[in-house]
Amino acid sequence: YWISYNERYAEEWRQQLLDWTKDNPIERWNPKTKRMAWSTLNAAARMIHQWPAALLQMRSAAAFDEVTLLVFLKGIQQHARFLMEHQAGGGNWVIHEAKAQLMLGMFYPEFKDAAVWLERGLNRTRAELDAQVLGDGIHIERTPGYHGGCLETFVSVLQLLALNDVAFEGRDHFLSRIEKMVDFYLYGIKPDGTMPVLGDTGKARYRPTLERAYKRFHRPDFLYVASEGKQGVPPVDTSHAFPTAGLYAMRSDWEDSNALWLFCDAGGFYGHCHLDNLTFELYAYGRTLLAEGGRYAYAAKINQYFKGTIGHNTILIDRENMEREPAPECVAWIPAEQFDYLHVRHQAYPGLTHDRRILFVKPVGVGADGYWIVVDDVTGPGEHRCDQRFHFEPALTAETNDLQARSNDKEGANLLIAAPAESPGLALTLEDGWVSYLWYGKRSAQVAQFTRQGPLPIRFSTVLYPERPEQQASLQVSRVPVEGAVMLNIEGATGNEAFADVVLLRDEERGPSLTSSGLDTDARVAYVRRNAEGTPRRALIHGGTFVRAEGALLLRTPQPIAHASASWMP
């Protein structure tokens, strides 16, 4: 009708309005009957979207007679009273309910209770902005999609208040909270402009969100990421944590489109989260290499793989889903110029604890490679089967060789996943899995699965080595037996460069000086790279005062500090 002004369409709309009103008297939503017409979310959605749009578009139609207007206005009043009397228990529904109340009071001032509706909607919106947005700016449901939906709702409320000259107390605080929410997209965004597919969310690009945020807040870092580095200035942090939400972004560079990136989810469970704690997504050299499960659908009978623990890059114990509570805790987060270190812990299953440590050795120098080491420890009583699972991006096929799995794309970047060659009791298989980027759209994905079974504790020490396009790496990983620590020798070659790395990750904060495999240090985390001739080229420490290699002092600090590094690159 809006396009053609053909009264046939207006009459059809009139009939549908009258028919819907007759068939759907107010009935509080009951999950048992599953009649969703009067769920608070659907009632709010009608008042936000369809009904006000229809009034503007249909009011000049002949079919919109006095009876139709009376039914319409009575419906507005019923919705307003319903939303005053009923509300959801929490989550994004409440935010939409509050916006609907505000709009009802603002758009229909002829009603005697309109001012009450407006005040209630505004007060609820302000309250939910503080209640549902955590201190670090993340919405409590911790998925990029629902975070964005709530962000847009808050922004639209602000716009409506401005357009209708409604002043309110606390506007500056309201704005600052919205700005903080945008930081999720600033620091969580991949180099390709998408976000990690966490929880019930799909694949989408978020640079337009940052572009709109720049127009409001004029922050040059928003502009930098929105414009792909063509304007503005890079964000202050390369790697960034949202500690209250339990989300951690590791990044090698802002200026390189081939940057390495990993995003770890170590937050609690609420609403649209999945049973996926300590999972992560990995991107390098222009493509996603390890993917997250996605939402696929909300129907419980068909979304079990995607919502369950099995569909994520974490530890699966006894082939069962992890518990929803308690939330994980962060033991250590150390972002640094040349490395990032994350240690998170979760009481994932009754009586059992899962510790995940991730060390990101960042590339230093032109053409240098970076990689990750993931150490998983499962502790507690009894015997259990533990699977460490990694979902390759669906476009990638993979193959295994002993305890190494590698994707084998002939043109793009690939990922080599390697465990120590001498690992008794460790098995590697390629399993069939799924990844979903769209509603009711799923794609098969191969899963590299390391399995141990037996009495706890059980440990996995795994190297994730991204390979540049058309450049395959050779890698040999060996474990050095050291009490109270993980120590790995990693010998490899990429292109014309050969290297030998030794990495130490202590189980405790610090300990006495430890000497093994030519390394001597008191640090909690230590890393030394040598070239093919055995000459040290790089050294890193965290939580210690020194590191020596083959007796030569490489780094010393007067007291234990968070991180220190040194390079002797040619």
Side-chain angles (χ1 to χ4, degrees):
Y1 177 77
W2 189 246
I3 296 170
S4 69
Y5 290 97
N6 186 328
E7 286 291 333
R8 289 171 49 221
Y9 298 114
E11 178 59 29
E12 176 62 26
W13 173 80
R14 174 181 179 274
Q15 293 296 334
Q16 289 202 22
L17 173 68
L18 299 177
D19 184 70
W20 186 91
T21 303
K22 178 182 177 182
D23 286 350
N24 293 280
I26 290 181
E27 175 189 20
R28 182 74 173 103
W29 174 52
N30 184 339
K32 294 181 180 179
T33 63
K34 300 189 183 302
R35 283 176 54 87
M36 293 290 290
W38 286 97
S39 73
T40 54
L41 180 62
N42 281 330
R46 286 192 292 274
M47 295 301 100
I48 292 172
H49 303 293
Q50 292 84 8
W51 283 49
L55 177 61
L56 293 173
Q57 293 171 337
M58 308 303 294
R59 62 184 178 180
S60 62
F64 201 170
D65 56 19
E66 292 183 353
V67 172
T68 307
L69 177 61
L70 180 61
V71 171
F72 187 92
L73 293 176
K74 185 64 176 178
I76 293 292
Q77 185 187 55
Q78 287 181 324
H79 279 79
R81 289 176 174 175
F82 178 81
L83 290 170
M84 290 290 286
E85 295 169 0
H86 303 286
Q87 67 179 54
N92 65 85
W93 283 34
V94 183
I95 296 172
H96 295 291
E97 294 166 15
K99 179 182 176 180
Q101 288 179 308
L102 181 145
M103 290 175 65
L104 285 163
M106 184 181 290
F107 287 4
Y108 311 102
E110 298 84 358
F111 288 100
K112 66 178 182 180
D113 292 331
V116 177
W117 303 340
L118 174 57
E119 182 181 17
R120 175 71 178 278
L122 177 56
N123 289 340
R124 288 185 70 191
T125 301
R126 292 189 299 181
E128 294 305 321
L129 181 61
D130 286 332
Q132 294 198 39
V133 179
L134 302 172
D136 45 28
I138 308 297
H139 182 256
I140 53 175
E141 298 189 63
R142 297 171 31 258
T143 74
Y146 280 91
H147 178 94
C150 294
L151 170 62
E152 291 303 316
T153 300
F154 290 129
V155 169
S156 65
V157 165
L158 197 64
Q159 292 171 331
L160 286 169
L161 293 168
L163 287 169
N164 289 274
D165 297 322
V166 178
F168 68 98
E169 185 178 351
R171 183 178 182 276
D172 290 343
H173 174 72
F174 199 102
L175 271 170
S176 69
R177 299 293 287 153
I178 289 175
E179 181 181 357
K180 195 71 174 174
M181 291 184 75
V182 181
D183 282 343
F184 184 27
Y185 299 122
L186 178 72
Y187 286 110
I189 199 167
K190 294 184 194 177
D192 69 355
T194 64
M195 287 285 288
V197 184
L198 300 175
D200 285 338
T201 198
K203 195 170 187 178
R205 300 191 180 277
Y206 289 90
R207 286 198 175 98
T209 301
L210 291 164
E211 184 177 4
R212 292 192 296 271
Y214 170 72
K215 293 176 181 178
R216 178 173 296 277
F217 298 107
H218 308 292
R219 276 179 46 178
D221 52 352
F222 288 171
L223 178 61
Y224 182 88
V225 178
S227 67
E228 300 183 59
K230 298 179 181 67
Q231 298 172 275
V233 298
V236 174
D237 297 336
T238 305
S239 298
H240 188 84
F242 300 95
T244 309
L247 303 176
Y248 302 87
M250 298 180 175
R251 188 186 308 269
S252 63
D253 198 339
W254 279 111
E255 300 180 8
D256 185 359
S257 60
N258 287 320
L260 278 59
W261 171 98
L262 181 147
F263 195 97
C264 181
D265 178 1
F269 185 97
Y270 187 93
H272 287 275
C273 298
H274 288 180
L275 300 170
D276 61 357
N277 274 314
L278 313 195
T279 190
F280 59 83
E281 198 169 309
L282 187 152
Y283 178 103
Y285 307 128
R287 76 185 314 170
T288 299
L289 296 171
L290 291 180
E292 262 296 282
R295 66 186 163 195
Y296 183 53
Y298 290 162
K301 291 183 178 179
I302 60 176
N303 75 353
Q304 294 179 12
Y305 184 89
F306 302 93
K307 198 177 185 72
T309 306
I310 194 171
H312 302 279
N313 303 319
T314 187
I315 295 292
L316 178 68
I317 301 179
D318 296 329
R319 309 297 287 184
E320 298 288 342
N321 285 328
M322 64 176 61
E323 297 290 309
R324 296 188 177 193
E325 296 179 348
E329 62 175 304
C330 179
V331 180
W333 164 246
I334 309 295
E337 182 180 358
Q338 295 196 23
F339 74 95
D340 294 331
Y341 176 69
L342 174 66
H343 180 180
V344 282
R345 176 176 295 152
H346 184 212
Q347 303 284 328
Y349 296 81
L352 306 181
T353 300
H354 173 203
D355 280 84
R356 169 159 278 184
R357 289 175 281 175
I358 304 175
L359 177 66
F360 179 22
V361 180
K362 297 184 179 181
V364 175
V366 178
D369 292 339
Y371 64 91
W372 286 269
I373 296 172
V374 178
V375 176
D376 287 311
D377 289 292
V378 181
T379 55
E383 296 191 8
H384 299 273
R385 169 177 170 167
C386 298
D387 298 317
Q388 186 191 50
R389 292 171 60 82
F390 301 105
H391 287 69
F392 284 104
E393 208 280 334
L396 297 172
T397 58
E399 57 191 13
T400 62
N401 180 18
D402 294 328
L403 291 178
Q404 295 190 1
R406 170 187 272 117
S407 61
N408 52 20
D409 188 283
K410 301 301 181 184
E411 299 179 357
N414 284 291
L415 180 67
L416 174 60
I417 304 175
E422 298 297 326
S423 298
L426 180 66
L428 170 62
T429 56
L430 279 180
E431 304 289 323
D432 294 328
W434 300 98
V435 167
S436 172
Y437 293 142
L438 301 170
W439 272 106
Y440 291 97
K442 61 181 180 180
R443 299 173 62 187
S444 60
Q446 290 189 289
V447 182
Q449 178 175 284
F450 292 96
T451 301
R452 287 188 183 276
Q453 187 162 353
L456 300 184
I458 283 177
R459 169 171 287 173
F460 299 88
S461 303
T462 311
V463 178
L464 307 178
Y465 201 101
E467 299 174 329
R468 298 174 184 272
E470 301 179 354
Q471 182 174 307
Q472 192 174 91
S474 63
L475 211 65
Q476 294 296 323
V477 182
S478 59
R479 183 177 60 87
V480 180
V482 177
E483 186 175 351
V486 176
M487 196 168 191
L488 299 176
N489 283 325
I490 304 170
E491 298 181 6
T494 56
N496 298 321
E497 181 185 8
F499 62 88
D501 292 351
V502 58
V503 182
L504 172 73
L505 302 175
R506 289 183 188 263
D507 296 341
E508 303 297 333
E509 286 292 333
R510 282 186 69 223
S513 176
L514 186 152
T515 303
S516 187
S517 195
L519 189 75
D520 180 24
T521 184
D522 67 344
R524 183 179 184 186
V525 178
Y527 164 90
V528 172
R529 166 159 288 194
R530 304 180 182 91
N531 62 13
E533 289 73 39
T535 304
R537 289 301 187 192
R538 192 177 172 199
L540 311 169
I541 60 172
H542 151 57
T545 60
F546 74 92
V547 61
R548 295 186 181 90
E550 309 296 344
L553 183 64
L554 303 182
L555 270 176
R556 178 177 287 282
T557 62
Q559 58 185 3
I561 60 175
H563 56 82
S565 61
S567 296
W568 302 274
M569 306 300 258

